[in-house]
Amino acid sequence: MALMLISQHPDTRHFYLLSDPFSRAALRLTTAGSSDWLTQEQALALARGGAGRLPTTLKLRSQAGKRLTDILWTAMPPLVCAATRVVDAMAERRLTGWSTYPVEVIHQGEFLEGYQGLAILGRGGGRDRTKSPIIDKPAPVPGGKPYRAYRGLFFDEDHWDGSDLFFVDGFIVVTQPAHDYFVRSKVSNIRLTPISEVEIDVALDRYMGGE
């Protein structure tokens, strides 16, 4: 595992949620049929850079989509892969709070070179729900039910370790310098949303330890 140093980066006044845009065209990966030995606990540890030595290299195969993008998301949400060009550029720009681990990506029966597993080492503590108003949202689909959502993904900056990429209750948050790199380099298959504009279904609290 290629460990990157964690240190505070200048100009971190603004934060953004880095998330899966759920593109139907983009290649999506799965562990099914290739790394069935991987447990959810191991996946979470990998995503956080704390899995230690695995019994074998993690193999991921295509599940849906065909388009090769800079970031490849998986059917096991903690796991994400990044193109080598993105990894190299983040290192050159001295962005902090991440590491990589080896993966084998299999697409259409062939080994796909140029990708590494991306682990997020940075920590921002838990969400501060007291800063997020609860809003009423209409049904997302015809015939569905309306729901309530928190407006904003806020956290206590006193618990943030200063990294450019970090977790807040399982959500990947990035600083302004990281955001600017992703945008200027046109890193594909990601969504970047200011944390003040993020909306999170209140119902998710039952799975994420909310009240």
Side-chain angles (χ1 to χ4, degrees):
M1 184 171 287
L3 184 65
M4 307 299 297
L5 295 177
I6 296 179
S7 60
Q8 187 158 344
H9 199 289
D11 191 18
T12 50
R13 292 168 294 175
H14 304 289
F15 301 96
Y16 301 81
L17 172 68
L18 188 155
S19 61
D20 183 350
F22 293 101
S23 166
R24 292 186 178 182
L27 180 66
R28 185 171 296 275
L29 305 175
T30 180
T31 59
S34 54
S35 292
D36 293 322
W37 53 267
L38 188 75
T39 66
Q40 185 69 33
E41 290 73 20
Q42 287 174 313
L44 288 169
L46 264 179
R48 289 168 166 76
R53 187 168 183 172
L54 295 175
T56 184
T57 300
L58 180 65
K59 293 181 174 65
L60 299 164
R61 66 177 182 85
S62 55
Q63 181 194 49
K66 295 181 178 180
R67 182 162 55 88
L68 301 183
T69 55
D70 291 319
I71 301 297
L72 299 180
W73 302 88
T74 76
M76 191 174 281
L79 301 179
V80 60
C81 296
T84 298
R85 78 128 181 147
V86 173
V87 170
D88 291 345
M90 289 198 299
E92 290 173 6
R93 287 161 176 75
R94 303 181 68 83
L95 298 178
T96 59
W98 59 277
S99 68
T100 62
Y101 54 90
V103 295
E104 292 183 9
V105 177
I106 303 166
H107 179 46
Q108 297 179 339
E110 300 290 335
F111 172 62
L112 185 62
E113 296 184 350
Y115 287 95
Q116 301 175 52
L118 181 66
I120 306 301
L121 305 183
R123 300 291 182 265
R127 288 164 52 200
D128 184 351
R129 291 170 174 79
T130 65
K131 297 179 180 178
S132 298
I134 295 177
I135 58 177
D136 293 318
K137 300 290 293 182
V141 295
K145 294 182 179 180
Y147 66 100
R148 298 189 306 158
Y150 292 104
R151 177 76 172 180
L153 172 60
F154 301 108
F155 60 98
D156 186 349
E157 292 186 31
D158 289 339
H159 294 151
W160 170 51
D161 64 11
S163 300
D164 287 304
L165 287 83
F166 57 99
F167 272 126
V168 174
D169 275 0
F171 296 97
I172 301 175
V173 178
V174 303
T175 60
Q176 188 72 51
H179 166 276
D180 292 347
Y181 157 66
F182 290 131
V183 171
R184 290 170 184 166
S185 299
K186 298 182 180 179
V187 174
S188 57
N189 201 29
I190 60 172
R191 176 176 291 136
L192 292 162
T193 309
I195 61 171
S196 62
E197 298 176 11
V198 174
E199 294 181 356
I200 303 171
D201 192 334
V202 170
L204 291 177
D205 279 353
R206 71 186 67 174
Y207 307 108
M208 305 183 70
E211 296 179 358

Coordinates of all heavy atoms in Angstrom, one line a residue, residues 103-178:
V103 N -5.1 -3.6 -7.4 CA -6.3 -4.3 -7.8 C -6.0 -4.9 -9.2 O -5.2 -4.4 -9.9 CB -7.5 -3.4 -7.8 CG1 -7.9 -2.9 -6.4 CG2 -7.3 -2.2 -8.8
E104 N -6.8 -5.9 -9.5 CA -6.9 -6.4 -10.9 C -8.3 -6.2 -11.4 O -9.2 -6.7 -10.9 CB -6.5 -7.9 -10.9 CG -5.0 -8.1 -10.6 CD -4.6 -9.6 -10.7 OE1 -5.5 -10.4 -11.3 OE2 -3.5 -9.9 -10.3
V105 N -8.4 -5.3 -12.4 CA -9.7 -5.1 -13.0 C -9.8 -5.9 -14.3 O -9.0 -5.9 -15.2 CB -9.8 -3.6 -13.4 CG1 -11.2 -3.3 -14.1 CG2 -9.7 -2.7 -12.1
I106 N -10.9 -6.7 -14.3 CA -11.2 -7.6 -15.4 C -12.4 -7.1 -16.2 O -13.5 -6.9 -15.6 CB -11.4 -9.0 -15.0 CG1 -10.2 -9.5 -14.1 CG2 -11.7 -9.9 -16.1 CD1 -10.4 -10.7 -13.3
H107 N -12.2 -6.8 -17.5 CA -13.3 -6.2 -18.3 C -13.4 -7.0 -19.6 O -12.4 -7.1 -20.3 CB -13.1 -4.8 -18.6 CG -14.1 -4.1 -19.4 ND1 -15.5 -4.3 -19.3 CD2 -14.0 -3.3 -20.5 CE1 -16.1 -3.6 -20.2 NE2 -15.3 -3.0 -21.0
Q108 N -14.5 -7.6 -19.9 CA -14.7 -8.4 -21.1 C -13.7 -9.5 -21.2 O -13.2 -9.8 -22.2 CB -14.7 -7.5 -22.3 CG -15.8 -6.5 -22.4 CD -15.7 -5.6 -23.6 OE1 -14.7 -5.4 -24.2 NE2 -16.9 -4.9 -23.9
G109 N -13.4 -10.1 -20.0 CA -12.5 -11.2 -19.9 C -11.1 -10.9 -20.0 O -10.2 -11.8 -19.9
E110 N -10.7 -9.6 -20.1 CA -9.3 -9.2 -20.2 C -8.9 -8.4 -19.0 O -9.7 -7.6 -18.5 CB -9.1 -8.4 -21.5 CG -9.4 -9.2 -22.8 CD -8.4 -10.3 -23.0 OE1 -7.3 -10.2 -22.6 OE2 -8.8 -11.3 -23.7
F111 N -7.6 -8.5 -18.6 CA -7.1 -7.6 -17.6 C -7.0 -6.2 -18.0 O -6.3 -5.9 -19.1 CB -5.7 -8.2 -17.1 CG -5.0 -7.2 -16.1 CD1 -5.6 -6.9 -14.9 CD2 -3.8 -6.7 -16.5 CE1 -4.9 -6.1 -14.0 CE2 -3.1 -5.9 -15.6 CZ -3.7 -5.6 -14.4
L112 N -7.5 -5.3 -17.3 CA -7.5 -3.9 -17.7 C -6.4 -3.1 -16.9 O -6.5 -3.0 -15.7 CB -8.9 -3.2 -17.4 CG -9.1 -1.8 -17.9 CD1 -9.0 -1.7 -19.4 CD2 -10.5 -1.3 -17.5
E113 N -5.4 -2.7 -17.5 CA -4.3 -2.0 -16.8 C -4.6 -0.5 -16.6 O -5.5 0.0 -17.1 CB -3.0 -2.1 -17.7 CG -2.5 -3.5 -17.9 CD -1.2 -3.5 -18.6 OE1 -0.8 -2.5 -19.2 OE2 -0.6 -4.6 -18.7
G114 N -3.9 0.0 -15.6 CA -3.9 1.5 -15.4 C -4.9 1.9 -14.3 O -5.2 3.1 -14.2
Y115 N -5.3 1.0 -13.4 CA -6.1 1.4 -12.3 C -5.6 0.9 -11.0 O -4.9 -0.2 -10.9 CB -7.6 0.8 -12.5 CG -8.3 1.5 -13.5 CD1 -8.4 1.1 -14.8 CD2 -9.0 2.7 -13.2 CE1 -9.1 1.7 -15.8 CE2 -9.8 3.4 -14.2 CZ -9.8 2.9 -15.5 OH -10.5 3.6 -16.5
Q116 N -5.8 1.6 -9.9 CA -5.5 1.2 -8.5 C -6.6 1.4 -7.6 O -7.5 2.3 -7.9 CB -4.3 2.1 -8.1 CG -3.0 1.9 -8.9 CD -1.9 2.9 -8.5 OE1 -1.5 2.9 -7.3 NE2 -1.4 3.7 -9.4
G117 N -6.7 0.7 -6.5 CA -7.7 0.9 -5.5 C -7.4 2.2 -4.8 O -6.2 2.5 -4.5
L118 N -8.4 3.0 -4.5 CA -8.2 4.2 -3.8 C -8.7 4.2 -2.4 O -9.9 3.9 -2.2 CB -8.9 5.4 -4.6 CG -8.8 6.8 -4.0 CD1 -7.3 7.3 -4.0 CD2 -9.7 7.8 -4.7
A119 N -7.9 4.4 -1.4 CA -8.3 4.4 0.0 C -8.3 5.8 0.5 O -7.4 6.6 0.1 CB -7.4 3.5 0.8
I120 N -9.2 6.2 1.4 CA -9.3 7.5 1.9 C -8.8 7.4 3.4 O -9.4 6.8 4.2 CB -10.7 8.1 1.9 CG1 -11.3 8.0 0.5 CG2 -10.8 9.5 2.5 CD1 -10.5 8.8 -0.5
L121 N -7.7 8.1 3.6 CA -7.1 8.0 5.0 C -7.5 9.2 5.9 O -7.5 9.1 7.1 CB -5.5 8.1 4.9 CG -4.9 7.0 4.0 CD1 -3.4 7.2 4.1 CD2 -5.3 5.6 4.4
G122 N -7.9 10.3 5.3 CA -8.3 11.5 6.0 C -9.5 11.3 6.8 O -10.4 10.5 6.5
R123 N -9.6 12.0 8.0 CA -10.8 11.8 8.8 C -11.3 13.2 9.2 O -10.6 14.1 9.5 CB -10.4 11.1 10.1 CG -9.9 9.7 9.9 CD -11.0 8.7 9.4 NE -10.5 7.4 9.2 CZ -10.1 6.9 8.1 NH1 -10.0 7.7 7.0 NH2 -9.7 5.6 8.0
G124 N -12.7 13.3 9.2 CA -13.3 14.5 9.5 C -14.3 14.4 10.6 O -15.1 15.3 10.9
G125 N -14.3 13.2 11.3 CA -15.3 13.0 12.4 C -16.6 12.7 11.8 O -16.8 12.3 10.7
G126 N -17.6 12.9 12.7 CA -19.0 12.6 12.3 C -19.8 13.8 11.8 O -19.3 15.0 12.0
R127 N -20.9 13.6 11.2 CA -21.8 14.7 10.8 C -22.3 15.5 12.0 O -22.6 14.9 13.0 CB -23.0 14.2 10.0 CG -22.6 13.7 8.6 CD -23.7 12.8 8.0 NE -25.0 13.5 8.1 CZ -26.2 12.9 8.0 NH1 -26.2 11.6 7.9 NH2 -27.3 13.6 8.0
D128 N -22.5 16.8 11.8 CA -23.1 17.6 12.8 C -24.5 18.0 12.3 O -24.7 18.9 11.5 CB -22.3 18.9 13.0 CG -22.9 19.8 14.1 OD1 -24.0 19.5 14.6 OD2 -22.2 20.8 14.5
R129 N -25.5 17.1 12.6 CA -26.8 17.3 12.1 C -27.5 18.6 12.6 O -28.5 19.0 12.1 CB -27.7 16.1 12.5 CG -27.2 14.8 11.7 CD -27.9 13.6 12.3 NE -27.7 12.4 11.6 CZ -26.6 11.6 11.7 NH1 -25.6 12.0 12.5 NH2 -26.4 10.5 11.0
T130 N -27.0 19.1 13.7 CA -27.6 20.3 14.3 C -27.5 21.5 13.3 O -28.3 22.5 13.5 CB -27.0 20.7 15.7 OG1 -25.6 21.1 15.5 CG2 -27.1 19.5 16.6
K131 N -26.6 21.5 12.4 CA -26.4 22.6 11.4 C -27.2 22.4 10.2 O -27.2 23.2 9.3 CB -24.9 22.7 11.1 CG -24.0 23.1 12.3 CD -22.6 23.2 11.8 CE -21.7 23.5 13.0 NZ -20.2 23.6 12.6
S132 N -27.9 21.2 10.1 CA -28.6 20.9 8.8 C -30.1 21.0 9.0 O -30.7 20.1 9.7 CB -28.2 19.4 8.4 OG -26.8 19.3 8.1
P133 N -30.8 21.9 8.4 CA -32.2 22.0 8.5 C -32.8 20.8 7.8 O -32.3 20.3 6.9 CB -32.6 23.3 7.8 CG -31.4 23.5 6.9 CD -30.2 23.0 7.6
I134 N -34.0 20.3 8.3 CA -34.7 19.2 7.7 C -35.7 19.8 6.7 O -36.5 20.7 7.1 CB -35.3 18.3 8.7 CG1 -34.2 17.6 9.5 CG2 -36.2 17.3 8.0 CD1 -34.8 16.7 10.6
I135 N -35.7 19.4 5.5 CA -36.6 19.9 4.5 C -37.5 18.8 3.9 O -37.2 17.6 4.0 CB -35.9 20.6 3.3 CG1 -34.9 19.6 2.7 CG2 -35.1 21.8 3.8 CD1 -34.2 20.2 1.4
D136 N -38.7 19.2 3.5 CA -39.6 18.2 2.9 C -39.3 18.1 1.4 O -39.2 19.1 0.7 CB -41.1 18.7 3.1 CG -41.5 18.6 4.5 OD1 -41.1 17.6 5.2 OD2 -42.1 19.6 5.0
K137 N -39.2 16.9 0.9 CA -38.9 16.7 -0.5 C -40.1 15.9 -1.2 O -40.7 15.0 -0.6 CB -37.7 15.8 -0.6 CG -36.4 16.4 0.0 CD -36.0 17.7 -0.8 CE -35.5 17.2 -2.2 NZ -35.0 18.4 -3.0
P138 N -40.4 16.2 -2.4 CA -41.5 15.5 -3.1 C -41.1 14.1 -3.5 O -39.9 13.8 -3.4 CB -41.7 16.4 -4.4 CG -40.3 17.0 -4.6 CD -39.8 17.3 -3.3
A139 N -42.0 13.3 -3.8 CA -41.7 11.9 -4.2 C -40.8 11.9 -5.4 O -40.9 12.7 -6.4 CB -43.0 11.2 -4.6
P140 N -39.7 11.1 -5.3 CA -38.7 11.1 -6.4 C -39.2 10.5 -7.7 O -38.7 10.8 -8.8 CB -37.6 10.3 -5.9 CG -38.2 9.4 -4.8 CD -39.3 10.2 -4.3
V141 N -40.3 9.7 -7.7 CA -40.9 9.1 -8.9 C -42.4 9.2 -8.7 O -43.0 9.3 -7.6 CB -40.5 7.7 -9.0 CG1 -39.0 7.5 -9.3 CG2 -40.9 6.8 -7.8
P142 N -43.1 9.3 -9.9 CA -44.6 9.3 -9.8 C -45.1 8.1 -9.0 O -44.7 7.0 -9.2 CB -45.0 9.2 -11.3 CG -43.8 9.7 -12.0 CD -42.6 9.3 -11.3
G143 N -46.0 8.4 -8.1 CA -46.6 7.3 -7.3 C -45.8 7.0 -6.1 O -46.2 6.2 -5.2
G144 N -44.6 7.6 -5.9 CA -43.8 7.4 -4.8 C -44.2 8.2 -3.6 O -45.2 8.9 -3.6
K145 N -43.5 8.1 -2.5 CA -43.8 8.8 -1.3 C -42.9 10.0 -1.1 O -41.7 9.9 -1.4 CB -43.7 7.9 -0.1 CG -44.7 6.8 -0.1 CD -44.6 6.0 1.2 CE -45.6 4.8 1.2 NZ -45.5 4.0 2.5
P146 N -43.4 11.1 -0.6 CA -42.5 12.3 -0.3 C -41.6 11.8 0.9 O -41.9 10.9 1.6 CB -43.5 13.4 0.1 CG -44.7 12.7 0.5 CD -44.8 11.4 -0.4
Y147 N -40.6 12.6 1.1 CA -39.6 12.2 2.2 C -39.0 13.5 2.8 O -39.2 14.6 2.3 CB -38.6 11.2 1.7 CG -37.6 11.8 0.7 CD1 -36.3 12.3 1.0 CD2 -38.0 11.9 -0.7 CE1 -35.5 12.8 0.1 CE2 -37.1 12.5 -1.6 CZ -35.9 12.9 -1.2 OH -35.0 13.4 -2.1
R148 N -38.3 13.3 3.9 CA -37.6 14.4 4.5 C -36.1 14.2 4.3 O -35.6 13.1 4.4 CB -38.0 14.5 6.0 CG -39.4 14.8 6.2 CD -39.7 15.1 7.7 NE -39.1 14.0 8.6 CZ -38.8 14.2 9.9 NH1 -38.9 15.4 10.4 NH2 -38.4 13.2 10.6
A149 N -35.4 15.3 4.2 CA -33.9 15.2 4.0 C -33.2 16.3 4.8 O -33.8 17.4 5.0 CB -33.6 15.4 2.5
Y150 N -32.0 16.0 5.2 CA -31.1 17.0 5.8 C -30.6 17.9 4.7 O -30.1 17.3 3.7 CB -30.0 16.4 6.6 CG -30.4 15.6 7.8 CD1 -30.4 14.2 7.9 CD2 -30.7 16.3 9.0 CE1 -30.7 13.6 9.0 CE2 -31.0 15.7 10.2 CZ -31.0 14.3 10.2 OH -31.3 13.6 11.3
R151 N -30.5 19.2 4.9 CA -29.9 20.0 3.9 C -28.5 20.4 4.4 O -28.3 21.1 5.4 CB -30.7 21.3 3.7 CG -30.1 22.3 2.8 CD -30.2 22.0 1.3 NE -29.8 23.1 0.5 CZ -29.9 23.0 -0.9 NH1 -30.3 21.9 -1.5 NH2 -29.5 24.0 -1.6
G152 N -27.5 19.8 3.8 CA -26.1 20.1 4.2 C -25.4 19.0 4.9 O -26.0 18.2 5.7
L153 N -24.2 18.7 4.5 CA -23.3 17.7 5.1 C -22.2 18.4 5.9 O -21.1 18.6 5.5 CB -22.7 16.8 4.0 CG -21.6 15.8 4.4 CD1 -22.2 14.8 5.4 CD2 -21.1 15.1 3.2
F154 N -22.6 18.8 7.2 CA -21.7 19.6 8.0 C -21.0 18.7 9.0 O -21.5 17.6 9.4 CB -22.4 20.7 8.7 CG -23.1 21.6 7.7 CD1 -24.5 21.6 7.6 CD2 -22.4 22.5 6.9 CE1 -25.1 22.5 6.7 CE2 -23.0 23.4 6.0 CZ -24.4 23.3 5.9
F155 N -19.8 19.2 9.5 CA -19.0 18.4 10.5 C -18.3 19.4 11.3 O -18.1 20.6 11.0 CB -18.1 17.5 9.7 CG -17.1 18.1 8.8 CD1 -15.8 18.4 9.3 CD2 -17.5 18.5 7.5 CE1 -14.9 19.1 8.4 CE2 -16.6 19.2 6.7 CZ -15.3 19.4 7.1
D156 N -17.8 18.9 12.4 CA -17.0 19.7 13.4 C -15.6 19.8 12.9 O -14.9 18.8 12.9 CB -17.1 19.1 14.8 CG -16.4 20.0 15.8 OD1 -15.7 21.0 15.4 OD2 -16.6 19.7 17.0
E157 N -15.1 20.9 12.4 CA -13.8 21.1 11.8 C -12.7 20.8 12.9 O -11.6 20.6 12.5 CB -13.6 22.4 11.2 CG -14.5 22.6 9.9 CD -14.2 23.9 9.2 OE1 -13.0 24.4 9.2 OE2 -15.1 24.4 8.5
D158 N -13.1 20.9 14.2 CA -12.1 20.6 15.2 C -11.7 19.1 15.2 O -10.6 18.7 15.7 CB -12.6 20.9 16.6 CG -12.7 22.4 16.8 OD1 -12.0 23.2 16.1 OD2 -13.5 22.8 17.7
H159 N -12.5 18.3 14.5 CA -12.2 16.8 14.4 C -11.7 16.5 13.1 O -11.4 15.3 12.8 CB -13.5 16.0 14.7 CG -14.0 16.1 16.1 ND1 -15.4 16.0 16.4 CD2 -13.4 16.4 17.2 CE1 -15.5 16.2 17.7 NE2 -14.4 16.4 18.2
W160 N -11.5 17.4 12.2 CA -10.9 17.2 10.9 C -9.4 17.2 11.0 O -8.8 18.1 11.7 CB -11.4 18.3 10.0 CG -10.7 18.4 8.6 CD1 -10.5 17.4 7.7 CD2 -10.2 19.6 8.0 NE1 -9.9 17.8 6.6 CE2 -9.7 19.2 6.7 CE3 -10.1 20.9 8.4 CZ2 -9.0 20.1 5.9 CZ3 -9.5 21.8 7.5 CH2 -9.0 21.4 6.3
D161 N -8.7 16.3 10.4 CA -7.3 16.1 10.5 C -6.5 17.0 9.5 O -5.3 16.9 9.4 CB -6.9 14.7 10.4 CG -7.2 14.0 9.0 OD1 -7.5 14.8 8.1 OD2 -7.1 12.8 8.9
G162 N -7.2 17.8 8.7 CA -6.5 18.7 7.8 C -6.2 18.1 6.4 O -5.6 18.7 5.5
S163 N -6.7 16.8 6.1 CA -6.4 16.2 4.8 C -7.3 16.8 3.7 O -8.3 17.4 4.0 CB -6.8 14.7 5.0 OG -6.0 14.1 5.9
D164 N -6.8 16.6 2.5 CA -7.6 17.1 1.3 C -8.7 16.2 1.0 O -9.7 16.6 0.3 CB -6.6 17.3 0.2 CG -5.7 18.5 0.3 OD1 -6.2 19.6 0.5 OD2 -4.5 18.3 0.3
L165 N -8.5 14.9 1.2 CA -9.6 13.9 1.0 C -9.8 13.2 2.4 O -8.9 12.7 3.0 CB -9.2 12.9 0.0 CG -9.1 13.3 -1.5 CD1 -7.8 14.0 -1.8 CD2 -9.3 12.1 -2.4
F166 N -11.1 13.2 2.8 CA -11.4 12.6 4.1 C -12.8 12.1 4.2 O -13.7 12.5 3.4 CB -11.1 13.6 5.2 CG -11.8 14.9 5.1 CD1 -13.0 15.1 5.9 CD2 -11.4 15.9 4.3 CE1 -13.7 16.3 5.8 CE2 -12.1 17.2 4.2 CZ -13.2 17.4 4.9
F167 N -13.0 11.2 5.1 CA -14.3 10.7 5.4 C -15.1 11.5 6.5 O -14.5 11.8 7.5 CB -14.2 9.2 5.9 CG -14.2 8.2 4.8 CD1 -13.2 7.2 4.7 CD2 -15.2 8.1 3.8 CE1 -13.2 6.3 3.7 CE2 -15.2 7.2 2.8 CZ -14.2 6.3 2.7
V168 N -16.3 11.7 6.2 CA -17.3 12.2 7.3 C -18.4 11.2 7.3 O -19.3 11.1 6.4 CB -17.8 13.6 6.9 CG1 -18.8 14.0 8.0 CG2 -16.6 14.6 6.9
D169 N -18.5 10.3 8.3 CA -19.5 9.3 8.4 C -19.7 8.5 7.1 O -20.8 8.2 6.6 CB -20.9 10.0 8.8 CG -21.0 10.2 10.3 OD1 -20.1 9.8 11.0 OD2 -22.1 10.7 10.7
G170 N -18.6 8.1 6.5 CA -18.7 7.3 5.3 C -18.8 8.1 4.0 O -18.7 7.5 2.9
F171 N -19.0 9.4 4.0 CA -19.1 10.2 2.8 C -17.7 10.8 2.6 O -17.0 11.2 3.5 CB -20.0 11.4 3.0 CG -21.5 11.0 3.2 CD1 -22.0 10.9 4.5 CD2 -22.3 10.8 2.1 CE1 -23.3 10.6 4.7 CE2 -23.6 10.4 2.3 CZ -24.1 10.3 3.6
I172 N -17.3 10.8 1.3 CA -16.0 11.3 0.9 C -16.1 12.8 0.7 O -16.9 13.3 -0.1 CB -15.4 10.7 -0.4 CG1 -15.3 9.2 -0.2 CG2 -14.0 11.3 -0.7 CD1 -14.9 8.4 -1.5
V173 N -15.3 13.6 1.5 CA -15.3 15.0 1.4 C -14.0 15.5 0.9 O -12.9 14.9 1.3 CB -15.7 15.7 2.7 CG1 -15.7 17.2 2.7 CG2 -17.1 15.2 3.2
V174 N -13.9 16.5 0.1 CA -12.6 17.0 -0.4 C -12.6 18.6 -0.2 O -13.6 19.2 -0.1 CB -12.4 16.7 -1.9 CG1 -12.5 15.2 -2.1 CG2 -13.4 17.5 -2.8
T175 N -11.3 19.0 -0.1 CA -11.1 20.5 0.1 C -11.1 21.2 -1.3 O -11.2 20.6 -2.3 CB -9.7 20.7 0.7 OG1 -8.7 20.1 -0.2 CG2 -9.6 20.0 2.1
Q176 N -11.0 22.5 -1.2 CA -11.0 23.3 -2.4 C -9.9 23.0 -3.3 O -10.1 22.8 -4.6 CB -11.0 24.8 -2.0 CG -11.1 25.8 -3.2 CD -12.6 25.8 -3.7 OE1 -13.5 26.0 -2.9 NE2 -12.8 25.6 -5.0
P177 N -8.6 22.8 -2.8 CA -7.6 22.4 -3.8 C -7.8 21.1 -4.5 O -7.5 21.0 -5.7 CB -6.3 22.3 -2.8 CG -6.6 23.3 -1.7 CD -8.1 23.1 -1.5
A178 N -8.4 20.1 -3.8 CA -8.7 18.9 -4.4 C -9.8 19.0 -5.5 O -9.7 18.5 -6.6 CB -9.1 17.8 -3.4

